[in-house]
Amino acid sequence: MTILQEIHAWSKDLAVWQQDAIARLYANRTLSVADLDDLYALAKVEAGIPDPEGRVPRKLQDAQVAPKADPARVVLLTTVKDLTNVNALANGAHLPIARAGVTAIYGENGVGKSGYSRVFKKACRARDRREPILPNANLEPGKRVPAQATFQAEVDGLATDLPWTDGTEPPEPLSDIAIFDTHCARAYIDNQGDFAYAPYGLDILEGLVGACNKLKARATAERTAAAPSNAAYAVLASEQTTVAQKLLGIPAKTTAEEIETLASLSEAESDQLVLLNKALSERDPRQKAVALRQKASRLSSLRDRVAAAINVVNEEKVASLQALIGSSNAAKAAAVLAGSEFQATPGQLAGTGGEEWKVLFEAARAFAKLSHADHEFPALSPEATCPLCQSVLGEEGVARLVRFDAFIEAAAEKAAKDARSAAAVPFRVIQQASVDLMFRDALVEEVTEVGPEVSAACTILQAALEARQAAVVQAAAGNGAWDEIPKLSEDPQPGLTGIIDSLLEQAKALDATADVKLKAVMVAEQLELDARRRLAEVKAAVLEAIAKHELGSKLQACANGMETRGISRKSTDLSRTTANQELADALNAELKLLKVHHLRVVMKPESPGGKTQFKLTLQLPGGGTPAAILSEGEQRAIAIASFMAEIRLGKGRGGIVLDDPVSSLDHRRRWEVAERLARESLTRQVIVFTHDIYFLLILEQKVDEVGSTLTKNYLRRTADGYGVHSEDLPFDVLGTKERLGRLRQMLVGIRKAAGEGDEDRQRQLAARCYGQLRLAWERCIEEVLLNGVVQRFGEGVSTLRLKGVTVTDGDYRKIDAGMAKSSKFEHDAAAAVGRLPIPDPDEIGDDIERLAQWRDEVDRRVKDVAKSRG
């Protein structure tokens, strides 16, 4: 396994927050302040401290870590195609790649190189992928899909398509492709001022150790700041009570729930504490107990009167009376109906059968018991005298009395009489009952003293009783509505009962104080209840102390989980497998190839807190620190050297991709890098992204020198988008032969403008063509006439190539004529007046072919001269 794979596998048993840290270090190399804040919150969550922001840990996924390159497999890329939703790159864009040698992908800044570079990083599982692939900003959010591309490749000679989608596991064969860019440098200035080198991946462990140390200090500081204080409850804790025992048990034994329970006194417990305080503070408890019992007796009598008064006019009694009076009224109505029929009998006086008449008849019945004691009224003889008028009754009078008696004894009349009698009794009970509570003067003051709300309830009830009694009487008499009878107010009996019970309890407690044993029990109970009352006053401080103890314990556990010994051991183990002479030799060899002669790798195994295992030390006369000596360019050269060394030792045969490898390098160092890449292209595929045309020309020379091949691709921006591949390289990087071909293409445009009669366009194109023709003459002199002895951007003078060089007078005249005419027409387009006539397209064509013919002539001559000079 690679170092990264070993670290990834080992990290799966670490705390979740440490796995998150490794994922961040893998992606970003360093941890920001925000990263440390996130990691600290996650570490606290694992220790049981909630995160208010609810952060979720992320882990390094298997798909993110490239497997070890397969030394038995050859993966060659041939094309990247079908790019979709990659930054602003044109959808469907493609980029051809040469199977062998160096493929140089050139483009100016801002044409889309970075989009391709990011695709390579993601698809080939480069460690540094901090630059995201952004969706095309011109697309609607709902239409944006993940970036996609297809890599055409040959795997062990077999052509295959390797589709890639951002966010999914990349095709495994692409892991054989190694990526280098500006973020891949793995050398840095260490704390001792040495320029230290860490094998690819070990910096993750160092970063993890650094994070642990910073977060451990943070947890320790927070624990110190959150140290609890017992000042608020120190006195309580010194007493001999249950509360004190619980307070002394903080934090090991006592919980917040127990404190909450102890600090919460029920109403009964609060009343008991008041009772105990009073009883234990009384000087003559026996006399006080007698007085309390007398008061309780007076209140009991009041309670009885309340109960009796309420019972007179309660809902049940009133409802019963209402029902009886209703029945009486109904029976009376029936009797009236029957009486009206009786009164209608002919020959009777008016009012016969009425109430007054009934009274008179009943009086006659009663008198007959005296005057006719030997007869049963109304069965009298015709000769008897009438009990009312005392005249002889006769047959008719006897018959009339019998008829009158039959009416009185009839069912309707009897029912009405019985109903009246049934309603009269409860009515008179309510009417004649006394509802006076006798709640006045001293009694009012006495009740108010111990229960003002009960006293008020008694006063209100007195008025309510009287009003209700009067309303019932009125309704029964038919002078008021039953549904308008007022309700009784709140019943004070429960309140009176509570006061009475309290008075009796106090009396009982006072009696108990006379007993030494009972008093001791009471004192103990008072101390416990009072301690709980006082605990309630400082409960917040106690709970805060418990919470701080708990937080401190969790922070300590958090800090304990940030020990670095295990990480250091892993770093040491990995360094033992990578810190060998083979690696040191490979690094020194690469530094030598890059002409960094003054640097030499020496093996200095170290593991203080998981730090680096190698140091690059400068061996300079007179001393000096690397931090003061190494330039940014030298640091970049060291990074490239370390990258190439690891590629060499990795034994893989896949290609390498470099994004702007010469950024920050001076012109001298660029030659070494170009030569190193050219030589590497003899054994593996090399792909280079660059915007540096100077480096591109140097690379071309070095590739030619080592006998490799260079394929140049040009990326540009078109109407279709960015990153569009073009076979037409910029004119500046073309050789004479390619420049002549480009000039012939320009001539086609000139002929078209002339044919359409567009003189302005024709003049513009002609001037541009002659400008390019002048550059072609210059390149031909450099490349052909002088046989490359001196070249623009060249690193020196190739004197050996002089054996093919001759310059004749004819050469001079042709060069002078060609350059003079080209310069004349190139600058004519800018003149405001006095312009030359526009050259005819055929004339321009002749001028182009004149250069082509001279080139061929000189090329043949150079070869012949070189051959003749042996």
Side-chain angles (χ1 to χ4, degrees), residues 229-248:
S229 170
N230 67 345
Y233 58 88
V235 175
L236 264 177
S238 65
E239 299 173 354
Q240 300 299 315
T241 62
T242 302
V243 168
Q245 293 175 4
K246 291 298 180 182
L247 292 176
L248 292 174

Side-chain angles (χ1 to χ4, degrees), residues 184-228:
C184 286
R186 293 179 292 281
Y188 60 94
I189 302 297
D190 70 7
N191 292 333
Q192 288 73 43
D194 293 326
F195 207 85
Y197 165 75
Y200 192 32
L202 284 184
D203 60 296
I204 291 178
L205 297 183
E206 180 181 352
L208 182 58
V209 166
C212 286
N213 288 334
K214 289 178 182 178
L215 298 183
K216 184 175 183 179
R218 190 167 172 177
T220 302
E222 184 177 350
R223 182 172 180 269
T224 301

Side-chain angles (χ1 to χ4, degrees), residues 583-659:
L583 178 57
D585 292 344
L587 285 167
N588 285 323
E590 291 296 336
L591 292 172
K592 185 176 181 179
L593 288 172
L594 293 174
K595 304 297 190 294
V596 190
H597 299 293
H598 54 294
L599 286 179
R600 179 172 177 76
V601 178
V602 294
M603 295 177 59
K604 294 179 69 174
E606 290 186 344
S607 185
K611 280 192 64 66
T612 309
Q613 277 66 53
F614 297 102
K615 284 186 178 181
L616 299 181
T617 60
L618 292 176
Q619 298 176 349
L620 297 175
T625 62
I629 296 173
L630 289 180
S631 67
E632 185 179 352
E634 286 174 316
Q635 295 180 29
R636 171 53 62 92
I638 294 168
I640 294 175
S642 63
F643 173 72
M644 297 305 296
E646 291 178 15
I647 293 298
R648 179 190 300 187
L649 296 179
K651 312 298 183 184
R653 302 163 67 188
I656 59 175
V657 180
L658 300 98
D659 184 10

Side-chain angles (χ1 to χ4, degrees), residues 427-468:
F427 170 73
R428 281 192 290 272
V429 169
I430 292 176
Q431 183 183 38
Q432 297 172 8
S434 172
V435 293
D436 185 4
L437 302 179
M438 293 184 288
F439 186 63
R440 289 180 285 275
D441 305 329
L443 185 57
V444 172
E445 292 180 6
E446 198 168 45
V447 176
T448 301
E449 180 183 356
V450 293
E453 69 286 349
V454 176
S455 176
C458 290
T459 301
I460 295 171
L461 179 63
Q462 180 66 79
L465 286 167
E466 293 172 353
R468 183 173 175 85

Side-chain angles (χ1 to χ4, degrees), residues 797-809:
V797 178
S798 300
T799 58
L800 293 177
R801 300 181 72 90
L802 281 172
K803 70 177 182 177
V805 176
T806 58
V807 181
T808 67
D809 292 345

Side-chain angles (χ1 to χ4, degrees), residues 346-496:
Q348 296 182 156
L349 294 175
T352 301
E355 290 301 318
E356 296 80 0
W357 178 84
K358 291 176 183 177
V359 173
L360 178 64
F361 188 78
E362 289 299 331
R365 183 192 305 276
F367 178 66
K369 290 180 180 179
L370 297 174
S371 60
H372 301 78
D374 52 345
H375 290 80
E376 186 68 29
F377 188 82
L380 301 177
S381 63
E383 296 82 9
T385 58
C386 176
L388 293 173
C389 66
Q390 297 189 6
S391 299
V392 176
L393 286 170
E395 294 293 339
E396 184 178 354
V398 171
R400 185 180 296 112
L401 286 177
V402 171
R403 189 169 67 251
F404 285 171
D405 183 63
F407 169 72
I408 291 296
E409 295 299 328
E413 186 61 28
K414 182 173 177 42
K417 181 180 179 181
D418 293 343
R420 281 195 302 273
S421 298
V425 174
F427 170 73
R428 281 192 290 272
V429 169
I430 292 176
Q431 183 183 38
Q432 297 172 8
S434 172
V435 293
D436 185 4
L437 302 179
M438 293 184 288
F439 186 63
R440 289 180 285 275
D441 305 329
L443 185 57
V444 172
E445 292 180 6
E446 198 168 45
V447 176
T448 301
E449 180 183 356
V450 293
E453 69 286 349
V454 176
S455 176
C458 290
T459 301
I460 295 171
L461 179 63
Q462 180 66 79
L465 286 167
E466 293 172 353
R468 183 173 175 85
Q469 181 185 39
V472 170
V473 171
Q474 291 295 320
N479 298 322
W482 290 98
D483 56 2
E484 293 179 0
I485 296 175
K487 301 290 185 181
L488 289 177
S489 61
E490 181 183 0
D491 188 354
Q493 290 184 84
L496 289 169

Side-chain angles (χ1 to χ4, degrees), residues 17 40 210-222 555-556 558-565:
W17 75 267
Y40 188 51
C212 286
N213 288 334
K214 289 178 182 178
L215 298 183
K216 184 175 183 179
R218 190 167 172 177
T220 302
E222 184 177 350
L555 286 171
Q556 185 60 54
C558 186
N560 292 341
M562 294 168 180
E563 288 294 329
T564 60
R565 284 180 297 231

